[in-house]
Amino acid sequence: MSKLLPNLLLTILIISLEKTSAHQKFREYYHWNLLDYAFPSLEEKLNAILTRKFIPENNLPVGIEVWGDKIFITVPRWREGIPSTLNYVTINDFVQESFKSPLLIPYPDLKSNEAGNCRDGLTTVYRIKADQCNRLWVLDTGTFGIESTTQNLCPYTLKIFDLKTDRIIRKYELHPEDIRETTFIANIAVDIGRNCEDAYAYMSDELGYGLIVYSWEHHKSWRFSHPFFNPDPVAGNFTIDGFNFQWDTEGIFSMVLSLPQGDGHKILFFNPLASYREFAVSTKILRDETKVNNSYNDFIALNERGKNSHITAKVMDEYGVEFFTLIDINAIGCWYSGYPYATNFFKVLHRDDKNLIFPSDLKIDRKRNLWVISDRMSNFLYRGLNPTEVNFRILFAPINDLIQNTVCGIY
Ligand SMILES: *[C@@H]1O[C@H](CO)[C@@H](O)[C@H](O)[C@H]1NC(C)=O
Ligand SMILES: *[C@@H]1O[C@H](CO)[C@@H](O)[C@H](O)[C@H]1NC(C)=O
């Protein structure tokens, strides 16, 4: 036995190494034709369908986060029939093929996802962020609808959960001065400094062209304005999965924080959605409320990435390697932030014209896996989805396998 064991271990090791080298790219973890939810009972589910509180074909997953064994999935209330906007499914590596489309479990529960209940409910959630202090930062836009159909049922409210107790530990309603007539905020970045109290959220106002900063410690917010938040008028033309449409008013959207720099502060990299250019600003500026009207020269314009490089989401690992979605070409790219922001330092790591149509969001877990959700969003909005096909996919890949022997594989 004792002689056999090392041999057995060696064999297992070799098999798993072969497996990873054979599957260097993303593997599909879960997939759905249409989303379905875990209702408390079958009666409640049937009742929800009958009363049109649940209309499966109207549900589109847009944002993810991974914490512990939970994959959080957000579903905005763009149309009728969304039972719950904040949900999760459980990671289970030994799941059988027949359970590859798990039911979404409302988080923290179904009742807390009641639309229009401004005190105790979540109305619409897009991007969410778990921090290293086991808090989940959730921005509830309070909206129902999309584009011209949007109604503001409740004010924009930051709701922060303790992931260990599943309780809301902080709520902060944005002030009227923080928002504009056209405000639409779908994305947040979370900046943890010296300790868990020294925490800031940066919220990008995509259609109002501003950046709202919230300080956890001081429990207050302020709004930056800058021309770099605007869309580029020549970069609003999108063709995805063969379909051409314009998102030409979409300004500052995806954001990612760098590693701490020499002065202890980080750099916030951001891009307007209708733009091929990247911009940067130090968190030292953003954290300083007196700078809101007085920071023109503190923002930096980096290079353009070139055609077909609209980005909806980016993340950075603990070594400074950034990963980003490339929605025009159904791909995931990378850039090591120790190199200049220039095309010869970018790498398309994975491209898939069937399984990665509209990679909407991506996140890194604590075991250094990169997780991506693709959702065919532009098809959903403008052409409709085919419910007999797989439309939504969660894929993952170990980061080290993804970037080895690429320009991003610097360690
Ligand atoms: C937008 O993109 C489509 C498809 O590539 C192209 O045919 C069209 O000329 C573009 N429009 C503009 C104004 O660039
Ligand atoms: C910044 O400008 C806005 C609009 O002009 C003004 O309301 C606000 O008081 C200014 N804030 C600071 C800190 O100067």
Side-chain angles (χ1 to χ4, degrees):
M1 181 66 192
S2 57
K3 257 192 93 187
L4 219 151
L5 199 57
N7 269 334
L8 191 67
L9 281 178
L10 194 67
T11 317
I12 292 171
L13 200 67
I14 288 168
I15 290 172
S16 64
L17 279 177
E18 277 176 354
K19 243 179 135 172
T20 32
S21 56
H23 297 272
Q24 286 211 349
K25 301 296 167 84
F26 284 91
R27 272 196 288 152
E28 203 169 286
Y29 200 79
Y30 287 135
H31 59 219
W32 296 265
N33 292 18
L34 294 175
L35 295 181
D36 196 358
Y37 294 81
F39 284 87
S41 68
L42 185 60
E43 280 97 321
E44 281 188 55
K45 180 172 169 177
L46 291 176
N47 194 45
I49 291 173
L50 281 172
T51 56
R52 294 177 66 76
K53 287 201 169 107
F54 178 34
I55 306 172
E57 62 272 25
N58 286 356
N59 286 257
L60 182 81
V62 299
I64 57 167
E65 180 56 288
V66 183
W67 182 85
D69 67 348
K70 288 187 173 77
I71 305 176
F72 289 94
I73 301 176
T74 63
V75 185
R77 287 193 163 98
W78 284 347
R79 297 174 183 164
E80 294 287 346
I82 316 305
S84 172
T85 186
L86 180 60
N87 311 280
Y88 70 95
V89 294
T90 303
I91 295 179
N92 178 358
D93 285 331
F94 303 101
V95 77
Q96 288 167 357
E97 201 48 42
S98 51
F99 295 104
K100 286 281 187 190
S101 309
L103 298 173
L104 271 58
I105 304 164
Y107 185 86
D109 54 39
L110 186 59
K111 209 171 127 270
S112 311
N113 276 273
E114 187 189 348
N117 179 344
C118 301
R119 216 175 66 98
D120 299 313
L122 292 164
T123 300
T124 280
V125 173
Y126 290 92
R127 298 293 173 67
I128 51 180
K129 184 78 187 103
D131 69 15
Q132 60 258 49
C133 308
N134 298 311
R135 296 175 296 206
L136 184 69
W137 297 65
V138 173
L139 180 65
D140 183 358
T141 66
T143 54
F144 172 82
I146 184 172
E147 294 166 353
S148 60
T149 70
T150 304
Q151 305 163 29
N152 290 83
L153 304 183
C154 299
Y156 274 88
T157 308
L158 200 51
K159 296 174 179 172
I160 302 162
F161 289 83
D162 177 344
L163 283 159
K164 297 206 157 153
T165 60
D166 304 327
R167 293 237 171 92
I168 293 182
I169 49 172
R170 181 66 71 87
K171 266 194 217 181
Y172 182 81
E173 202 178 295
L174 294 195
H175 296 155
E177 311 88 80
D178 293 330
I179 57 175
R180 299 285 178 266
E181 186 93 359
T182 51
T183 284
F184 172 71
I185 312 167
N187 209 351
I188 58 174
V190 176
D191 177 17
I192 310 297
R194 304 178 307 274
N195 52 50
C196 296
E197 292 300 301
D198 183 31
Y200 288 78
Y202 309 122
M203 298 167 258
S204 53
D205 188 348
E206 187 181 351
L207 299 178
Y209 314 141
L211 187 62
I212 298 116
V213 180
Y214 166 73
S215 160
W216 166 282
E217 201 167 358
H218 305 293
H219 198 47
K220 61 189 290 204
S221 55
W222 48 91
R223 179 186 170 99
F224 274 83
S225 301
H226 199 283
F228 293 173
F229 301 157
N230 292 359
D232 180 339
V234 299
N237 197 18
F238 292 70
T239 301
I240 296 179
D241 197 22
F243 183 73
N244 176 246
F245 59 95
Q246 283 74 45
W247 278 350
D248 47 10
T249 56
E250 313 341 70
I252 178 170
F253 185 53
S254 99
M255 299 176 285
V256 72
L257 286 161
S258 74
L259 305 183
Q261 306 294 294
D263 66 354
H265 291 281
K266 298 168 190 156
I267 295 165
L268 183 79
F269 292 102
F270 66 88
N271 69 279
L273 182 52
S275 175
Y276 298 125
R277 194 180 284 279
E278 195 72 11
F279 299 96
V281 62
S282 168
T283 56
K284 183 179 179 185
I285 305 301
L286 298 178
R287 284 167 166 237
D288 184 351
E289 188 186 350
T290 68
K291 283 283 199 176
V292 285
N293 298 332
N294 173 32
S295 55
Y296 182 84
N297 289 317
D298 295 309
F299 284 72
I300 301 160
L302 302 176
N303 289 322
E304 286 206 312
R305 289 177 295 272
K307 284 250 172 290
N308 288 325
S309 65
H310 292 118
I311 290 178
T312 57
K314 46 195 171 211
V315 287
M316 196 172 282
D317 77 4
E318 73 266 39
Y319 299 101
V321 178
E322 184 188 296
F323 300 90
F324 45 89
T325 60
L326 289 163
I327 54 173
D328 309 87
I329 58 166
N330 315 315
I332 303 299
C334 68
W335 165 64
Y336 170 54
S337 58
Y339 293 145
Y341 198 84
T343 45
N344 50 324
F345 295 111
F346 302 147
K347 170 77 184 162
V348 174
L349 293 168
H350 186 83
R351 178 175 179 168
D352 185 331
D353 294 340
K354 175 167 162 275
N355 299 327
L356 213 58
I357 297 171
F358 211 106
S360 172
D361 197 8
L362 79 178
K363 287 285 161 55
I364 298 171
D365 70 15
R366 287 181 186 178
K367 296 177 192 153
R368 289 183 54 72
N369 293 306
L370 184 63
W371 295 82
V372 177
I373 185 164
S374 66
D375 66 3
R376 302 187 168 182
M377 185 188 293
S378 45
N379 293 321
F380 173 89
L381 287 171
Y382 306 121
R383 294 196 289 181
L385 298 178
N386 178 351
T388 67
E389 288 179 355
V390 172
N391 290 300
F392 318 129
R393 291 177 171 85
I394 290 181
L395 309 106
F396 88 105
I399 286 179
N400 294 348
D401 297 348
L402 267 180
I403 61 176
Q404 68 179 348
N405 306 321
T406 74
V407 69
C408 301
I410 38 76
Y411 43 79

